[in-house]
Amino acid sequence: MLERKSRVRIQSKLTTVSSRPVGPGKTHPFTALDHAMAIHSLHVVFYYKANIFEDFDLDPSRVSLSDALSLYPPVTGRISRNGDGNWEVNCNDAGVRIVRASVGITLDEWLRSADGIEEMDLTVWDDMPEDPINWSPFRIQVNEFQGGGIAIGLSCTHMHADPTCATLLYKSWIDTHRTKAVAHLPVYSTYTTRRRSDSNNKTGSVTYYAAKSAARATTPSEKMATATLKFSHAVIKRCLMEITENCANATPFDLLAALFWTRVVRLKAARNHYSNSLSICTDGRRVLREDGKPLPLGYYGNALHFSLLTLEKLDGYDLGHVVGEIHGHVKSIDEEEIRSSIDWLESRAGVGKKYGPPFRMYGPELTCVSMEHMVGPFRPNGPESGPLMYEAGFGEEAEPIHVSYHVRNVEGEGLIMVMPSPEGGLARAVTVTLPEKELAELCEDQAILGLEPTMLLSGSLRC
């Protein structure tokens, strides 16, 4: 097999520290949920039409990054073991690794011809070593395209941050650069580590997490591929109206999760290899409460929750019925359900209080991630807003045109991520990772093509 030649070339490397020193002895402990996510890493890419940097080494944006990092001592620190044997951050302000790179084609050509695997070249990363004393858990890569486009890739350990946390870290940089007040300051709460005396181990979440932790890792038998499909506000609105009788309050996530789940199951059934279960990943910030108030959006760390929905006769249901089942399942995820899973993760700690080993949270079932909470409003007494990731613009003429999210070390039948789109409203972008042959067939599926999606980052796949 010929080695793939990257169109991204590294030009320089540097380190950026915070503008205000961190006090001596400051540490940030990871929660049991953070530890459980340690196998995975998170990668986010923000695309801009214009090159917003003339010279990043000297640009004011690097100064504003240092100012923003002063709000995030765990980001610039280094990971070490505490006295219980658990991971924590030594907030020593060792800095964030910054890489500058050039891409040998234009931004438009990249979005048409690159695929999900090549897109990872826009983010710099190496896995955490056994001794991470000098290892940077956060990386930023600034990629300049021919003709002026730019992509900024942010990578971090999933132990440090979930997609919401990583997005708000990046947006804090943008707010600081534009001399605006940071919209969502980081909150270092201990709520998701608080052990309750009335822990409930009888919920479906506890059963599901226990099964995940016991599952053995498998080696993928087929090469995986990724593509992104964008669906317009008008199309999603029309589809939701068509299923009103089944589910009057369905969200775009409910609709698209049902559509892709049913179509993927048809493909897998043709190969006598499929499951009628869907792992649904949601954010718990709106559900978890601290002192009677929702956990702040700026909560630093992981607030994700994974739950399992199984339909015995998936092929026998029409789309509207499946949409209703997904909607009802997501609505049923309450604080007790999420707290029970957190309590179970903490209960794995041994006599020495060392947390149990991490396991693959994404998979092995087909996993679908909802980012509906990133669509405004999620601001107390604030106006309705657009998707938070698309507010990360360096100016009115420099808003992101696309934002990609990737998770590494995903295992199993595949991953579907339903995210907001820059169009706003009900428009959504769906990033799908499946075995290469299945993805090619999915991109020719008439039920999906009938919604007239726009394809991005699909490589050689034809639609």
Side-chain angles (χ1 to χ4, degrees), residues 25-44:
K26 184 178 180 61
T27 61
H28 172 75
F30 289 119
T31 68
L33 177 56
D34 294 335
H35 275 80
M37 304 296 295
I39 286 176
H40 304 292
S41 59
L42 180 64
H43 309 263
V44 191

Side-chain angles (χ1 to χ4, degrees), residues 25 49 64 110 124 161 232 261 274 339 342 366 374 382 418-419 448:
K49 273 288 188 182
S64 61
W110 175 269
V124 60
S232 70
W261 184 20
Y274 78 97
R339 281 298 320 172
I342 295 173
L366 183 67
M374 299 292 276
V418 181
M419 299 163 290
I448 292 177

Side-chain angles (χ1 to χ4, degrees), residues 63-96:
V63 176
S64 61
L65 175 59
S66 293
D67 290 340
L69 289 175
S70 67
L71 301 172
Y72 289 89
V75 170
T76 58
R78 295 295 181 262
I79 297 175
S80 60
R81 295 281 190 183
N82 64 17
D84 295 328
N86 294 319
W87 293 115
E88 67 177 9
V89 181
N90 176 18
C91 301
N92 57 6
D93 199 21
V96 172

Side-chain angles (χ1 to χ4, degrees), residues 142-289:
V142 180
N143 306 276
E144 299 180 40
F145 293 90
Q146 291 183 358
I150 195 168
I152 302 177
L154 171 66
S155 301
C156 64
T157 60
H158 215 315
M159 185 164 60
H160 253 285
D162 59 18
T164 301
C165 181
T167 300
L168 293 181
L169 163 64
Y170 181 84
K171 190 175 179 300
S172 295
W173 171 22
I174 309 306
D175 289 343
T176 303
H177 180 76
R178 298 182 67 178
T179 64
K180 297 171 56 180
V182 174
H184 300 283
L185 290 168
V187 176
Y188 303 101
S189 171
T190 61
Y191 180 67
T192 57
T193 66
R194 190 179 301 159
R195 192 72 177 273
R196 301 182 309 170
S197 59
D198 57 339
S199 296
N200 180 4
N201 62 0
K202 301 297 184 181
T203 66
S205 295
V206 169
T207 301
Y208 184 42
Y209 276 43
K212 275 181 175 292
S213 69
R216 293 185 177 182
T218 59
T219 302
S221 58
E222 299 180 69
K223 180 182 177 182
M224 305 295 278
T226 300
T228 297
L229 302 87
K230 287 190 173 183
F231 299 88
S232 70
H233 169 86
V235 164
I236 298 299
K237 182 178 181 180
R238 185 194 75 213
C239 292
L240 290 174
M241 291 179 65
E242 291 174 352
I243 60 170
T244 300
E245 291 185 3
N246 295 94
C247 187
N249 299 316
T251 67
F253 171 78
D254 301 330
L255 171 69
L256 292 167
L259 174 65
F260 279 85
W261 184 20
T262 55
R263 306 319 292 179
V264 169
V265 163
R266 288 173 63 91
L267 295 176
K268 293 184 180 293
R271 296 179 171 83
N272 295 317
H273 176 69
Y274 78 97
S275 169
N276 57 352
S277 295
L278 181 69
S279 178
I280 297 178
C281 173
T282 54
D283 188 274
R285 286 172 174 82
R286 285 187 173 179
V287 181
L288 293 171
R289 304 187 73 81

Side-chain angles (χ1 to χ4, degrees), residues 9 103 141 179 193 252 301 350 396 402 451:
R9 300 188 65 180
V103 187
Q141 183 167 319
T179 64
T193 66
E396 293 183 0
H402 179 62
L451 303 189

Side-chain angles (χ1 to χ4, degrees), residues 117 218-227 260 263-265 267-269 271 273-274 364-367 410-416 431-444 458 461:
I117 294 176
T218 59
T219 302
S221 58
E222 299 180 69
K223 180 182 177 182
M224 305 295 278
T226 300
F260 279 85
R263 306 319 292 179
V264 169
V265 163
L267 295 176
K268 293 184 180 293
R271 296 179 171 83
H273 176 69
Y274 78 97
E365 298 85 7
L366 183 67
T367 302
V410 173
E411 183 183 90
E413 296 183 7
L415 178 65
I416 302 167
T431 297
V432 186
T433 300
L434 291 171
E436 195 170 42
K437 292 181 180 179
E438 290 181 12
L439 185 62
E441 293 177 14
L442 186 72
C443 286
E444 296 177 352
S458 58
L461 296 172

